């Protein structure tokens, strides 16, 4: 069943995979495909590096252990936390500083009615990019590589998606959200809410 709990498990596993791709023995895969790495300053040494990729002339994706930010110069920005899968919107399409922790993120809100469509488009763009990322991993590194990165993740206590189903699962989720965005994007709210309060997992320096 494709629901928010299922999507949360899929996203958490994906973030784990990115952490393993950074540690790849043959070289940091994120850097190889064009991500920019920003290392933490001296006063933030406890934080992991920030990875950002421009996926086109106006859109950027930033990966963190606690979630993902996508910013589009025409639509604004969206953050989706690792736990909960509740997209939150900001009119800012660019971050003021690298998000070393959730405290460095701008305040996000559940979108209002006018912001629902740009939020949905940002979310769908992000999920389609993740699907393409996994297809490229299998094409260039092989399915056995992704299987091996998931061995430690699959400890019997966490939701698990086999390597062979990861890309297709992102496509299924994209289709489900496109068919009924109101079921996935909570409308509200006048008060800003925190982007999340979970500690990082699966990220690397």
């Amino acid at each position: 069943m494709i629901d928010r709990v299922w999507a949360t498990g899929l996203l958490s596993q994906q973030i784990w995979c990115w952490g393993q791709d950074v540690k790849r023995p043959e070289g940091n895969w994120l850097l190889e495909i064009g991500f920019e790495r920003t290392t933490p300053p001296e006063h933030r040494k406890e934080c992991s590096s920030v990875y950002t990729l421009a996926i086109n002339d106006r859109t950027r994706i930033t990966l963190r252990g606690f979630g993902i930010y996508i910013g589009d110069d025409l639509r604004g920005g969206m953050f989706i936390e690792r736990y909960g899968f509740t997209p939150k919107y900001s009119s800012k399409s660019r971050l003021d500083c690298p998000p070393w922790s959730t405290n460095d993120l701008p305040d996000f809100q559940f979108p209002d009615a006018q912001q629902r469509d740009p939020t949905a488009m940002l979310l769908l763009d992000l999920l389609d990019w993740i699907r393409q990322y996994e297809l490229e991993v299998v094409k260039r590194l092989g399915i056995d590589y992704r299987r091996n990165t998931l061995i430690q993740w699959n400890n019997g206590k966490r939701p698990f998606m086999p390597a062979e189903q990861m890309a297709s699962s992102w496509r299924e989720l994209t289709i489900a959200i496109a068919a009924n965005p109101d079921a996935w994007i909570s409308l509200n709210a006048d008060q800003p809410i925190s982007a999340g309060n979970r500690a990082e997992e699966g990220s690397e320096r």
Side-chain angles (χ1 to χ4, degrees):
M1 177 181 179
I2 299 178
D3 59 12
R4 203 176 299 274
V5 173
W6 182 89
T8 298
L10 182 63
L11 178 60
S12 189
Q13 177 174 307
Q14 185 68 55
I15 290 175
W16 164 272
C17 287
W18 285 324
Q20 302 307 299
D21 295 345
V22 166
K23 296 190 294 184
R24 176 173 164 260
E26 296 81 5
N28 185 327
W29 180 245
L30 296 187
L31 294 181
E32 285 193 29
I33 64 172
F35 273 87
E36 293 185 4
R37 177 176 59 193
T38 305
T39 56
E42 286 294 329
H43 67 285
R44 303 298 295 271
K45 281 297 186 182
E46 77 283 0
C47 300
S48 61
S49 296
V50 173
Y51 286 87
T52 301
L53 178 71
I55 62 174
N56 56 46
D57 290 341
R58 74 182 201 212
T59 309
R60 298 150 301 281
I61 289 173
T62 298
L63 306 180
R64 300 301 288 134
F66 49 81
I68 313 172
Y69 178 84
I70 179 170
D72 183 289
D73 293 338
L74 298 182
R75 296 172 178 155
M78 184 206 71
F79 182 82
I80 188 161
E81 77 273 26
R82 184 172 186 168
Y83 303 98
F85 208 88
T86 51
K88 303 177 182 75
Y89 181 80
S90 171
S91 60
K92 290 187 175 182
S93 64
R94 295 177 182 266
L95 298 172
D96 293 332
C97 68
W100 306 115
S101 71
T102 56
N103 293 331
D104 299 305
L105 291 167
D107 286 330
F108 287 88
Q109 296 180 348
F110 291 119
D112 61 29
Q114 291 184 333
Q115 296 166 339
R116 192 209 71 162
D117 286 349
T119 303
M121 294 304 298
L122 287 166
L123 179 58
L124 293 173
D125 285 350
L126 174 61
L127 301 188
D128 187 61
W129 176 82
I130 298 174
R131 178 187 66 85
Q132 294 181 51
Y133 176 93
E134 283 302 312
L135 289 173
E136 191 70 7
V137 164
V138 172
K139 178 181 178 181
R140 296 176 59 181
L141 302 181
I143 191 64
D144 284 341
Y145 167 79
R146 183 50 89 222
R147 288 175 183 147
N148 290 334
T149 63
L150 290 170
I151 289 174
Q152 189 176 353
W153 174 260
N154 186 20
N155 62 2
K157 300 178 181 179
R158 294 180 283 218
F160 172 69
M161 186 64 64
E164 295 83 355
Q165 298 177 27
M166 286 186 66
S168 61
S169 294
W170 285 113
R171 176 170 173 76
E172 291 170 10
L173 180 58
T174 301
I175 292 171
I177 294 173
N180 188 11
D182 288 339
W184 295 87
I185 299 173
S186 300
L187 295 182
N188 189 32
D190 295 327
Q191 295 183 350
I193 58 178
S194 170
N197 57 9
R198 296 274 190 160
E200 290 189 43
E201 293 184 23
S203 57
E204 294 300 321
R205 294 187 183 276

